[in-house]
Amino acid sequence: MIEWVKQMKKAFGASFLWLICLIYFTQGFRSFVWTAVSYQLKDNLKLSPSASQFVSSIAFFPWSIKPLYGILSDCIPIKGRKRIPYLVIATFLSLVPWPMLGIDSNLRSSQWHFTVLLTVQNLGSAMADVVVDAMIAEAVRSERASFAGDLQSLSWFSMAVGGIWGSLLGGYALTNLQIDKIFLLFSVLPAIQLLSCGLVEENSADSKVSHESAYSSNSHPMNGNGDVLDKDNILLKKSSASVTRRKKSQKNGNKRASMRTKSLIPEKGDYLVSRWFHSLKTATYSLLRAFRQPVILRPMAWFFLAHITVPNLSTVMFYYQTEVLNLDASFLGTARVVGWLGLMLGTFMYNRYLKTMKLRKILLLAHVGLSLLTLLDIILVSRVNLAYGVSDRIMVVWGSALADAVNQFKFMPFLILSGQLCPPGIEGTLFALFMSINNLGSTLGSFVGAGLASILNLSSGSFDNLGLGIAIQVVCTYIPIAFLFLIPKEATGISA
């Protein structure tokens, strides 16, 4: 273990590894503060389950537009740097809302202000996630490709450790501290992350971009972007010829013609804007070409449908667990820890036993398993478990752990596929696009769940129709199975 760490430090540098681990740890540790957010929405703002889930869905929307952050960081350097400046901006956005919410009670008590600040915080976290993924991809490609799996494993391990500690300490903190103090405490981590950004050096992108631009203008790239640039050059030449003709036809307009000619001379700022525009267009075309490939488009379409066709009732279940089952925050934090362990178990089982299995079979088994696990919620709501001597706490803990493990069986094949298809230059964009499909589907699934809760009149203190809502969720879990034809028939978890 020590030797492995030494090799990683030698390959990537201690400051780079520290920043990567810290960012992923912070992403996992967000469970510490978002548990408090759930109680703020429920107890202090007095929102219904559907309203609370609606607010959460809006706040997490920035995770659904991650390709935008990837395109910006890939194509538009800030002072010659493509990653660290964006990471600084992202960390600042993820930091500022927490001390504001911790200090100003008016912001906490206003649903609109609370939602806006949570959305800004998620904007920063999502942007940081995209940038750090791109940094990892670049480091692996340029430094030591043999460490690709090790670096990714280190990232996931850091996030899992952060999630475990965040869940444990979050439940304990809610039992012993006020919510405003929890917001202030959590702001320490992004503050450290902001300071750590200055420890990592990043080479200027100017020389690299100049080299690539020169290459693009003197050769025919394999990715087909040259025709786009050539068309632009033809249009520019036609424009220049048009200006020349106008100059000749204007006998007494020498001064105006001279001014027009001078305006065609590109200034430095115009050149940078033009170069950025071409870079953005090239990245967009490359992204669209990659996305149009059936091997990536069809699985993504299925994964998106698998989210939006199954209503998410997690917020309703949170209200039920706290109000009817009287489960305290400390226990719910422990249950989330078990969920993180289940996620790690799912990753291990997938890599050990399932990655050579046909992808359709993996997804079929995953949805059948999820439907059976959802039945545990029906047993919990109907109180049948008590008749057999099974406590509510055991049902909640095991349901959380197993559900997270099964969900990981769905997630791993697509994660691996997206990593394999990342072309140089748009690493952050394509990987972010995959994650956005997942996040947007989850967000829309939450909206569907909020709508279902509203239709069934599920609210604080009124859970009579909760069993019916869960039954609908069980039935909907089988809908994605009908669309498994979108998955390539012979695709496996490692050769999709």
Side-chain angles (χ1 to χ4, degrees), residues 25-42:
F25 179 87
T26 303
Q27 296 284 36
F29 200 79
R30 279 158 50 90
S31 57
F32 172 84
V33 72
W34 281 95
T35 303
V37 169
S38 298
Y39 277 91
Q40 175 71 15
L41 295 172
K42 170 181 172 290

Side-chain angles (χ1 to χ4, degrees), residues 276-297:
W276 291 343
F277 174 76
H278 286 304
S279 182
L280 287 171
K281 186 163 62 175
T282 299
T284 302
Y285 273 93
S286 298
L287 179 63
L288 291 176
R289 274 194 300 275
F291 185 75
R292 285 201 303 265
Q293 297 180 42
V295 71
I296 185 76
L297 176 59

Side-chain angles (χ1 to χ4, degrees), residues 8-119:
M8 293 281 285
K9 285 184 178 180
K10 184 178 180 181
F12 301 104
S15 59
F16 178 80
L17 288 182
W18 160 256
L19 183 61
I20 296 299
C21 291
L22 178 61
I23 291 175
Y24 275 96
F25 179 87
T26 303
Q27 296 284 36
F29 200 79
R30 279 158 50 90
S31 57
F32 172 84
V33 72
W34 281 95
T35 303
V37 169
S38 298
Y39 277 91
Q40 175 71 15
L41 295 172
K42 170 181 172 290
D43 295 335
N44 296 339
L45 294 181
K46 306 295 182 182
L47 299 184
S48 66
S50 58
S52 179
Q53 189 152 328
F54 184 80
V55 168
S56 298
S57 300
I58 293 176
F60 277 92
F61 179 75
W63 290 87
S64 302
I65 54 174
K66 291 173 68 175
L68 176 61
Y69 321 136
I71 288 177
L72 289 176
S73 65
D74 283 334
C75 301
I76 303 180
I78 298 178
K79 292 187 176 181
R81 306 293 188 269
K82 296 173 61 177
R83 307 303 180 195
I84 296 300
Y86 283 99
L87 190 58
V88 170
I89 294 172
T91 304
F92 181 79
L93 292 176
S94 65
L95 164 64
V96 170
W98 296 124
M100 291 178 64
L101 289 172
I103 295 172
D104 194 336
S105 60
N106 293 326
L107 294 177
R108 293 195 305 273
S109 59
S110 169
Q111 178 181 338
W112 186 84
H113 288 106
F114 195 64
T115 303
V116 169
L117 288 174
L118 291 181
T119 304

Side-chain angles (χ1 to χ4, degrees), residues 20-22 24-26 28 153-163:
I20 296 299
C21 291
L22 178 61
Y24 275 96
F25 179 87
T26 303
S153 298
L154 180 65
S155 304
W156 278 82
F157 178 77
S158 300
M159 186 169 63
V161 172

Side-chain angles (χ1 to χ4, degrees), residues 148-198:
D150 293 329
L151 191 57
Q152 195 65 47
S153 298
L154 180 65
S155 304
W156 278 82
F157 178 77
S158 300
M159 186 169 63
V161 172
I164 291 172
W165 279 105
S167 298
L168 279 175
L169 296 177
Y172 175 81
L174 275 170
T175 306
N176 298 276
L177 297 174
Q178 297 293 325
I179 289 180
D180 59 323
K181 301 299 190 299
I182 295 177
F183 291 159
L184 291 173
L185 279 175
F186 181 78
S187 63
V188 173
L189 268 181
I192 296 175
Q193 180 178 312
L194 184 61
L195 295 175
S196 299
C197 291

Side-chain angles (χ1 to χ4, degrees), residues 66 162 305 387 455:
K66 291 173 68 175
L305 288 172
I455 292 173

